[in-house]
Amino acid sequence: MERIYYDSKTGNVERFMQKVAELTGWITQKIQPDMEVGQEGHLVTFTTRFGEIPETTKNFLQYASPYLLSVSSSGNRNWGRNFAVAGDKIATEYGIPLALKFELSGTNEDVNEFIAIIKARKHYGNKRRSKELDFAQ
């Protein structure tokens, strides 16, 4: 069973995660300031301001990054090249494969694509399921 850690400010990522959990039964945990991480999982976050990683996500990454198998991010296409760029930045700074970028709370197609990507990563040998697999568009 997969575990997804997520950060949500406006509720978009939380709605996305609710859809994923309903379809899969996967464990989803909203990032909390004092939460402990002892199990591998995937990160889903949002992009804030003009293309920045949220502070709550940065704080989480300081101690949880070794446990993360992938990162996905939400954003708004109105921001052009800064669309969901927090995922790109996390992938680069922490060496975590980027799985998916989606708009706001995601469409049903986005949810299904996320599920398929996470399931596909189980078939690769290294801990982070191969950095070469960068599915995000």
Side-chain angles (χ1 to χ4, degrees):
M1 175 159 311
E2 297 294 337
R3 179 177 301 275
I4 315 291
Y5 301 103
Y6 72 93
D7 199 358
S8 185
K9 182 177 182 178
T10 63
N12 284 325
V13 173
E14 191 156 19
R15 283 189 293 279
F16 182 84
M17 293 315 310
Q18 286 170 348
K19 295 175 204 174
V20 169
E22 286 174 16
L23 290 171
T24 63
W26 292 347
I27 298 165
T28 61
Q29 287 183 270
K30 187 171 183 178
I31 293 172
Q32 301 296 322
D34 57 352
M35 94 186 262
E36 292 185 27
V37 176
Q39 295 181 320
E40 289 183 339
H42 303 270
L43 172 63
V44 180
T45 191
F46 60 98
T47 300
T48 192
R49 298 190 193 109
F50 298 101
E52 296 179 25
I53 301 169
E55 283 301 315
T56 47
T57 301
K58 283 183 187 177
N59 293 338
F60 176 76
L61 284 163
Q62 287 179 1
Y63 61 88
S65 64
Y67 295 98
L68 300 177
L69 303 172
S70 74
V71 60
S72 296
S73 61
S74 172
N76 189 317
R77 292 195 188 278
N78 290 339
W79 293 109
R81 64 186 174 101
N82 285 331
F83 165 67
V85 77
D88 297 306
K89 290 180 177 182
I90 291 168
T92 299
E93 292 175 30
Y94 294 89
I96 300 169
L98 181 62
L100 181 72
K101 292 164 66 168
F102 58 94
E103 188 166 28
L104 303 173
S105 60
T107 63
N108 288 338
E109 184 178 310
D110 294 330
V111 170
N112 290 328
E113 184 176 3
F114 176 79
I115 292 167
I117 289 168
I118 299 307
K119 284 181 177 179
R121 288 182 184 271
K122 284 187 167 188
H123 302 292
Y124 297 92
N126 69 25
K127 182 174 187 261
R128 295 201 192 213
R129 313 295 198 251
S130 180
K131 287 177 71 173
E132 295 81 39
L133 294 177
D134 185 354
F135 289 99
Q137 302 294 321

